[in-house]
Amino acid sequence: MSGASRQPSLRATAILAASLTAISSPAHADPLPAGFVRLADVDRSIRQDVRYAGRENFLHRRVDGYDAPVCILTEKAARALSSVQKAIGPKGLTLVVFDCYRPARAVADMREWTKQGGPPDPRWYPTIGRGDLIAKGYVGELSSHSRGSTVDLAITAMDKKSAIHPACGAANTGTFDFGTGFDCFDPASETAHRPLAAEAAANRKMLVAAMLAAGFRNYAREWWHFTLVGEPFPKRRFDFPVTAN
């Protein structure tokens, strides 16, 4: 058989092989937008306990846009957060992050959820109804989290295993006592709230000082909420989903 007669078969074989490779190769998620990173790729030592990817949050369900319990931040914010970890690590301490970048669709999900109304929830918003959470400033129409340089977090000992079960907010497994849990929608969550137990007040002061030294400013109504000063996208809000890869 001549070379000319064999050529079509060779081409067909190559096409078939390429097709089989395409079918067997796993699909890869789209890369993050330029300027964003997964925190674990910058600093794996920072603990992640991302609450909106599960049920341990004020909605009692996964929030739209959280496809994985993963912290995503702008690279600038992630590296600044890593500098906090490096500063407190020698003291036997570690950061624990509860939320990082938040898709705009998640903010919309929270906003629509409040419109359903309902009575106070002693676990999360003990003194006001669900429908008043936006008016009282506890749930935002927009969120700085969607800009990618805001983070909700606490501090604990690296070897701490016990759980704190506060009267209000998330059960902060393994964190120090900050007086309330994360996402307690109540005046007691204000960073400078008084009266406050001495230990909780000292822990809040320690957290604010550590974050301030790395260029983060605290939101006075939430002891856990910090935004990077000089954030790279101060006027943009993103809506890509939170994924593991």
Side-chain angles (χ1 to χ4, degrees):
M1 189 177 291
S2 69
S5 64
R6 291 198 301 269
Q7 192 62 29
S9 296
L10 291 173
R11 283 201 299 270
T13 300
I15 292 171
L16 177 60
S19 299
L20 291 174
T21 299
I23 292 171
S24 61
S25 298
H28 293 284
D30 290 336
L32 297 176
F36 281 81
V37 295
R38 290 178 177 84
L39 179 61
D41 292 335
V42 173
D43 194 327
R44 290 186 175 276
S45 69
I46 297 175
R47 293 185 188 174
Q48 298 190 30
D49 187 11
V50 178
R51 296 307 179 97
Y52 299 139
R55 299 177 60 86
E56 181 66 12
N57 60 67
F58 66 94
L59 279 76
H60 300 281
R61 61 169 173 79
R62 184 186 70 83
V63 180
D64 189 21
Y66 285 84
D67 297 341
V70 172
C71 174
I72 295 173
L73 289 167
T74 62
E75 183 174 3
K76 184 176 180 180
R79 296 198 179 282
L81 202 62
S82 180
S83 73
V84 178
Q85 184 79 342
K86 288 179 173 62
I88 67 175
K91 304 173 185 177
L93 305 176
T94 181
L95 297 172
V96 183
V97 296
F98 304 126
D99 192 35
C100 300
Y101 157 73
R102 184 182 304 168
R105 71 191 74 179
V107 180
D109 187 15
M110 293 176 180
R111 182 175 63 243
E112 292 303 311
W113 173 86
T114 66
K115 293 180 181 179
Q116 299 172 19
D121 182 337
R123 175 76 185 282
W124 302 98
Y125 40 99
T127 62
I128 59 175
R130 184 197 299 193
D132 293 324
L133 289 172
I134 289 180
K136 296 294 185 180
Y138 292 115
V139 174
E141 292 278 2
L142 300 173
S143 174
S144 61
H145 282 275
S146 300
R147 304 197 299 260
S149 295
T150 292
V151 61
D152 296 332
L153 77 174
I155 290 179
T156 192
M158 287 184 178
D159 59 355
K160 191 171 180 65
K161 303 298 182 182
S162 62
I164 301 295
H165 295 280
C168 178
N172 296 340
T173 303
T175 73
F176 289 150
D177 183 4
F178 285 86
T180 74
F182 162 63
D183 267 0
C184 171
F185 299 141
D186 186 82
S189 293
E190 295 172 4
T191 307
H193 177 78
R194 297 294 183 273
L196 194 66
E199 181 181 358
N203 287 335
R204 292 186 186 189
K205 183 177 180 180
M206 173 178 61
L207 177 61
V208 170
M211 295 295 285
L212 180 63
F216 289 89
R217 64 177 180 273
N218 174 242
Y219 175 47
R221 297 192 66 185
E222 298 175 349
W223 60 260
W224 57 80
H225 180 115
F226 295 84
T227 298
L228 183 69
V229 176
E231 58 185 303
F233 303 111
K235 297 182 179 180
R236 291 186 62 184
R237 288 180 169 80
F238 296 82
D239 193 34
F240 59 92
V242 175
T243 59
N245 50 48

